[in-house]
Amino acid sequence: MIELYVTKPNELELRHVDSLRAPKDDEVKIQLIYGGICGSDLSVFKGKLPHATYPVRPGHELLGVVIEKGENAAYDVGTRVVVLPNTYCGTCDLCVKGYTNICRNKKSLGVNVDGGFSQEFIISSKYVLSVPDDLPDEKAVLIEPFAVVVHAFKKVNIAKNTTVAVVGCGNEGMLAAALAHHLGAKVTAIDINPNKFELIKKVGNIRTLYPYELQHETFDVVFEAAGTKSAVEQAIRITNPGGDVVLIGLATEATFPVIHIVRSELTIHGTIIYQFPDDYLQAIEYLRDPSFSIDPIVSKILPVADYQQAYELAASGNVGKVILSFKKV
């Protein structure tokens, strides 16, 4: 079979490997259908994630079909599934409190253990979830990245006419803008790239602005999804007194105006990945809703043989989600 592999930073190759062993105990063997390219996949490839290990097989936004199962596996052969790419021990103090998303012993597929950009891979069935038959592959592959946004939205209250700003229109930012719009909020998407504006406007009636175009306007809820110092600092500046800032991006540092935060009674929420399976199940329900406009966020589906083009396109910053297809290898 074939798989993608990052041998070291900036070296990505498609290689042939031996067939896999049979799954044991609670394991399942999954034949991959689609794999979405995430910003963290690009960071691993470029050597920008300090906790990444090499060599490593990338890929964690995974949709596939169970083709073999161990004797204690939770899913039958033929079941279409998505994958939880972050392990949790279930026994550390954080897991016991329910914070499996920040487990002290967490490992992440495609970062510090091998991911799923392979024709087939084996994983414990406790880290997979079945997909409803009425959810097409092109939406089902978004469950994992969309669950990040679903989890973030649980930090705040978004209702009809809530004013929402999304700073940064990468994949997570566009998903956040789409969900806020779906919930009836008045949404403003902020980015430096006009190509992202064209995509986000296809989702619905969402206003788009460059960062410098915001003067004295403020918002009830601000989602920061750019992951840069300037974006975090702007997010705090443009939040209404008594409002909420939700930090989705992974900026390494920022300068916080403490007196402004205190006097304005701002609430700042940190959020990372999701709770499994609850956030996945909620993501599925949104994606099944025909009124939820999400299709424009998927920009390109390319065969895995075109992996170089796919990675270059995803890294360009000019498109939405880029997906690798393993359907016809």
Side-chain angles (χ1 to χ4, degrees), residues 15 62-63 76 121 131 135 150 195 197 218 264 270 282 326:
R15 67 184 192 178
L62 308 168
L63 171 71
D76 292 330
F121 60 95
V131 177
L135 191 62
V150 168
N195 293 305
F197 295 163
T218 55
S264 300
Q282 181 63 69
F326 286 74

Side-chain angles (χ1 to χ4, degrees), residues 189-231:
I190 302 163
D191 204 278
I192 60 175
N193 188 340
N195 293 305
K196 294 299 180 67
F197 295 163
E198 295 178 16
L199 286 170
I200 206 67
K201 286 178 178 177
K202 293 178 182 178
V203 169
N205 183 24
I206 296 174
R207 183 172 65 151
T208 56
L209 292 175
Y210 294 103
Y212 66 82
E213 291 182 300
L214 276 171
Q215 299 300 320
H216 304 291
E217 186 175 2
T218 55
F219 304 85
D220 299 327
V221 179
V222 180
F223 293 94
E224 190 285 315
T228 65
K229 180 177 185 292
S230 61

Side-chain angles (χ1 to χ4, degrees), residues 147-156 223 246 248 271 273 279:
V148 173
V149 170
V150 168
H151 183 71
F153 271 57
K154 290 181 176 179
K155 307 287 183 179
V156 294
F223 293 94
V246 185
I248 300 175
T271 179
I273 56 174
D279 293 330

Side-chain angles (χ1 to χ4, degrees), residues 84-86 100-101 144 147-148 151 272-276 279-280:
L84 171 67
N86 300 283
T100 55
N101 58 321
E144 190 275 342
V148 173
H151 183 71
I272 190 71
I273 56 174
Y274 27 66
Q275 293 291 334
F276 182 84
D279 293 330
Y280 271 49

Side-chain angles (χ1 to χ4, degrees), residues 15-317:
R15 67 184 192 178
H16 289 270
V17 294
D18 294 335
S19 298
L20 298 177
R21 60 170 174 82
K24 304 173 183 177
D25 193 26
D26 74 337
E27 294 176 332
V28 289
K29 182 185 290 185
I30 295 172
Q31 184 177 70
L32 191 61
I33 299 171
Y34 283 149
I37 298 176
C38 174
S40 62
D41 293 313
L42 299 174
S43 295
V44 170
F45 170 61
K46 295 176 182 179
K48 292 185 176 181
L49 277 188
H51 58 289
T53 58
Y54 301 90
V56 68
R57 185 172 65 213
H60 64 271
E61 297 178 7
L62 308 168
L63 171 71
V65 175
V66 174
I67 56 172
E68 289 185 53
K69 57 174 289 189
E71 60 272 20
N72 296 315
Y75 295 98
D76 292 330
V77 171
T79 305
R80 192 169 54 126
V81 296
V82 287
V83 171
L84 171 67
N86 300 283
T87 68
Y88 58 91
C89 69
T91 57
C92 73
D93 59 323
L94 294 172
C95 282
V96 169
K97 293 175 183 177
Y99 298 118
T100 55
N101 58 321
I102 50 175
C103 169
R104 296 190 186 278
N105 302 304
K106 180 177 68 176
K107 296 289 186 181
S108 298
L109 299 191
V111 178
N112 43 32
V113 292
D114 278 343
F117 282 173
S118 174
Q119 280 182 276
E120 300 173 5
F121 60 95
I122 293 173
I123 191 169
S124 166
S125 59
K126 89 177 209 180
Y127 297 122
V128 303
L129 185 70
S130 61
V131 177
D133 292 340
D134 62 351
L135 191 62
D137 292 343
E138 290 72 23
K139 286 187 176 181
V141 73
L142 295 175
I143 292 170
E144 190 275 342
F146 184 43
V148 173
V149 170
V150 168
H151 183 71
F153 271 57
K154 290 181 176 179
K155 307 287 183 179
V156 294
N157 294 315
I158 305 291
K160 186 175 177 61
N161 294 325
T162 302
T163 57
V164 172
V166 178
V167 183
C169 292
N171 292 326
E172 296 296 349
M174 286 192 287
L175 289 167
L179 181 54
H181 176 266
H182 178 67
L183 295 174
K186 295 180 179 178
V187 185
T188 298
I190 302 163
D191 204 278
I192 60 175
N193 188 340
N195 293 305
K196 294 299 180 67
F197 295 163
E198 295 178 16
L199 286 170
I200 206 67
K201 286 178 178 177
K202 293 178 182 178
V203 169
N205 183 24
I206 296 174
R207 183 172 65 151
T208 56
L209 292 175
Y210 294 103
Y212 66 82
E213 291 182 300
L214 276 171
Q215 299 300 320
H216 304 291
E217 186 175 2
T218 55
F219 304 85
D220 299 327
V221 179
V222 180
F223 293 94
E224 190 285 315
T228 65
K229 180 177 185 292
S230 61
V232 172
E233 292 168 359
Q234 181 176 49
I236 293 171
R237 287 197 307 271
I238 65 174
T239 303
N240 277 341
D244 295 271
V245 182
V246 185
L247 303 179
I248 300 175
L250 296 173
T252 55
E253 61 179 15
T255 301
F256 279 49
V258 176
I259 193 168
H260 169 70
I261 294 169
V262 172
R263 286 183 169 174
S264 300
E265 283 208 351
L266 301 186
T267 302
I268 301 174
H269 305 269
T271 179
I272 190 71
I273 56 174
Y274 27 66
Q275 293 291 334
F276 182 84
D278 292 354
D279 293 330
Y280 271 49
L281 293 170
Q282 181 63 69
I284 288 170
E285 289 310 303
Y286 282 128
L287 291 168
R288 293 175 77 184
D289 186 342
S291 69
F292 181 34
S293 177
I294 200 81
D295 294 347
I297 292 175
V298 176
S299 288
K300 200 78 174 178
I301 299 176
L302 293 168
V304 65
D306 295 338
Y307 68 94
Q308 290 179 321
Q309 178 188 350
Y311 264 67
E312 288 170 4
L313 192 61
S316 72

